[in-house]
Amino acid sequence: MTHADLSEARTTVRWWDRGRRVDPRYLIAFLITLVLVVAQLRYHVVGGYDRLALALITCMATEALLSWFDRGKVVNLQSAYISGISLTLLVKPQGGALWPFALGAFLAIASKYVLRYRDNHLWNPTNFAIVALLLAAPNRVSVLSHQWGNDLATNLVIWTFGLVIAARVKVLHMTLTYVASFLVLNALRAVALGQPVMPELAPITGPMYQLFIFFMITDPRTVVRQRKWQYVVVVIIALTEALLRVASDQGWPLPIAFNAAPALAALWLVGPVAKWIDLRRSGQRTPAQAPLPGAPATMPQADRGSAQAAGAGR
Amino acid sequence: MAVPFFAAIGLAMRLDHGPIRSPADAARPGFVLRDEAAALGVRFVHQRPTFDPKIANIEPHVAALGASISVADFDGDGWPDLYFTNSRFGAPNALYRNRGNGTFEDVAAGAGLADLNRPGEGVSMGSVWGDIDNDGREDLLVYRYGFLALFRNVDGRRFEDITEASRLRRWVNSNGAIWFDYDRDGLLDLYVTAYFRSDIDLWHLETTRIMHSSFEFATNGGKNLLFRNVGGGKFEDVTDKMGVGSTRWTLAAASADFNEDGWADLYLANDYGPEELYLNERGRRFVLAKAGLESESKSGMTASLGDAFNRGRLDVFVTNISERGYLFQNNNLRLNQMPDAGRFRNVADAQVADAGWGWGAQFGDLNNDGTNELFVANGFISADSSNSYWYAMSKIAGANARMFDDAATWPAFGNASLSGYEPSRVFLSRGLAGWVDVASAVGVTDRYDGRAVALADLSNRGAVDVIVANQNQPAVVYRNRPDTANHWIAFSLVGTRSNRSAIGAEVVVEASGLKQRRVVDGGMGFASQNDRRLHFGVGRREWVDRVVIHWPSGHEQVLSHLAVDQFHTVREPSR
């Protein structure tokens, strides 16, 4: 190794160390913003800045209002920011309708305050809102089923940043477990049903799954606490998704949400049950899981368990 | 907190059924449409093509195009005739001659226009009529998945294949073509759109990697071609010289002078990509305009021109795909703001934005009230209604391109439907209240897989009829019975300095508060061409104040105080 190489390596380490000192929540916010900017600049995915503004404003206003109403103070709005951007990226309305963004944003944030058990919310807010909209209004709302140019370069950018940040906030094991489970289960499903394997693996290369594996399934606020159970729950989510896909393969009359967004539906079904069992087993609140939905976590905790600090209920 | 939360869910469920207060009134549309194809003697049934077994897994998808309709008075008897294309080897195309007594007869075989679907030559995808040699008889170009074919109208009864002599014998996997005179030399030029690459022979595939490289920004389609009419029945390829060789999987093209500079521009609706507007720079070249189209990438399937809001300008309607839960691409209704703002503005909303899997569409004043209605054909593949391909499509549609540019990697289609059995839409404009679908109220109830739509006054009675070519299904002819209290005026234009078909001529009618523009089209919509005569409804107005004709030659002609309820034949002043 040359002197220059060593110098470069040291610089990289310094950047990494500096990165470790950054509040992980900012990294998540940075990643979702990066996704939004790249997708908009290259592929104009937003479909109108009024949608973005409405989703963001509604999320943040709802968070501010409900936290003040609930706890007497306004909590950190970063998770609301993440929810607003995620909704903008994922929800596709019929025509120029704006109400799905307003209602979706309200439902996402309000779900954290209404659907609670032992002071913890059970659903990832964005996941709850999108599936709720798809179940309640499938004639007016769809999820993004093809977007972003089907482009490898964009995938690589998001995967690279996503993996680095997931590692930094210590949720990478969940991401990778889900990806591995998806590949294995859907390959098996294809073989069992006598279908070609490639189309069954194709969805995971798409943008909906990128948002899903980096922003929803790893949400520290709604995952179970112990690492070993995190593996188990992620596998169960992937298994549930595979079963939903089998049902779709067989033409069962499922709600359209389950056909169109099986991954989101699987998390929507499994996530809260797992969380509820986890909370019930623990019988108490945990220090790492702050009592306030959307409340900021402290930096010492971030160092210990960055994942918990990072999510803040996005 | 729980109350507003659950109220929000309830509100979403309520909004799923439509707006809380209906924005537009569907009552009293003022016209009735009835399918009278059989009574008229139009018994055309389209047959879809079959291709190389290597792509059998998605053949229903690849073979889902080819039903087309074009209108022209080929025998010069004053009655509009109909030409339908077929798409299976051995299946004949049909030329329905209008007898003028309310019936039609198929004369394609005798005219030499029937047997065009042959191995080695290709299968028909559509046709456009135009008088290429200004002899007063409408000639015919048939575009195919295969070789282009050009037929000279010999005597109003027989046609001569002049493809080779005209230098147009090119293999193009084409779904569209239009005649227009881009250089204003009085001779019709030809723009041919290409879908699959032109080096692909769909019956003898060397590779199955023939599909689009993106569902949104694909540029690996066939190269569109522009042929300049140099006279003497000959054409030269000027595609590269003029800069219009888009490879964006174009499905439809239309031409009009959008920016009102006197030169015919070119509008393309592209599948898997954004629409494109090529502005004509005085016939010397075309420039791809930044007109607000590039930011929306959808699945453009028709380019239909019409004055949507009586502004005296030609707006553009482009159909796209909508399927509940999966995808709302939404149709585009683009207001033409080119002359003053240099751009189009998409104002499609609510009902007009969602016509299912839309295909051909046309603007026409079906009730003669002075505002345009919009007829939209739709539905992609109707097979087993209990088995939808949408779930299979969703697996690959969001995936990386390498997962679907190879046809062999697509999930097998089997006997599935894909947005099948969709009812056609008939949108009625209620001004600021928006557009409302009145299809069932006016009698449009078919659920065929509609492709091409053309409008023509088949009985010369002041009522615009609707002809729809359906994929792998019977054609329908909706006879129109509009409110008799409304008046109309129609124009048959004859070019002298311009091409004799007057293709590209734009007419603006002004009548006590009404101002509306129409264009004589050389192909418009999807795989279709309307009656060359321009029909305007004028409501209760009993005369027309002013008519301005913008001839393709650049000449402007003004007529005043014309009588309503009649056809006016207008010959272009020779100087």
Side-chain angles (χ1 to χ4, degrees), chain A residues 259-279:
Chain A
N259 298 128
L264 300 183
L267 175 61
W268 197 82
L269 292 170
V270 173
V273 175
K275 184 68 181 176
W276 182 81
I277 293 171
D278 188 49
L279 290 169

Side-chain angles (χ1 to χ4, degrees), chain B residues 158-291:
Chain B
R158 290 175 300 114
F159 288 77
E160 174 191 7
D161 186 343
I162 60 166
T163 313
E164 195 79 57
S166 66
R167 304 175 190 154
L168 285 178
R169 188 168 167 79
R170 294 275 288 269
W171 185 281
V172 191
N173 292 307
S174 172
N175 287 112
I178 59 169
W179 296 110
F180 72 137
D181 183 9
Y182 77 87
D183 54 2
R184 297 199 339 193
D185 65 354
L187 296 170
L188 284 174
D189 310 302
L190 176 66
Y191 190 70
V192 180
T193 69
Y195 196 64
F196 293 99
R197 292 192 319 270
S198 297
D199 62 339
I200 292 171
D201 178 342
L202 289 163
W203 295 269
H204 305 93
L205 290 172
E206 294 172 358
T207 173
T208 53
R209 204 168 278 283
I210 62 170
M211 305 301 283
H212 40 285
S213 60
S214 163
F215 271 90
E216 293 189 309
F217 296 92
T219 55
N220 66 332
K223 181 180 179 180
N224 297 342
L225 300 169
L226 175 60
F227 295 99
R228 178 171 173 265
N229 187 340
V230 296
K234 291 186 168 42
F235 292 79
E236 67 171 330
D237 183 346
V238 293
T239 309
D240 294 331
K241 178 183 163 193
M242 300 303 294
V244 287
S246 175
T247 58
R248 282 195 180 274
W249 296 82
T250 305
L251 277 175
S255 176
D257 180 12
F258 295 106
N259 56 0
E260 297 179 11
D261 67 350
W263 296 83
D265 309 307
L266 199 52
Y267 197 104
L268 306 183
N270 299 316
D271 206 357
Y272 318 120
E275 293 145 40
E276 292 173 298
L277 171 67
Y278 286 94
L279 293 177
N280 186 343
E281 294 199 335
R282 305 184 68 80
R284 290 193 292 267
R285 62 174 184 152
F286 286 85
V287 174
L288 184 59
K290 284 195 175 297

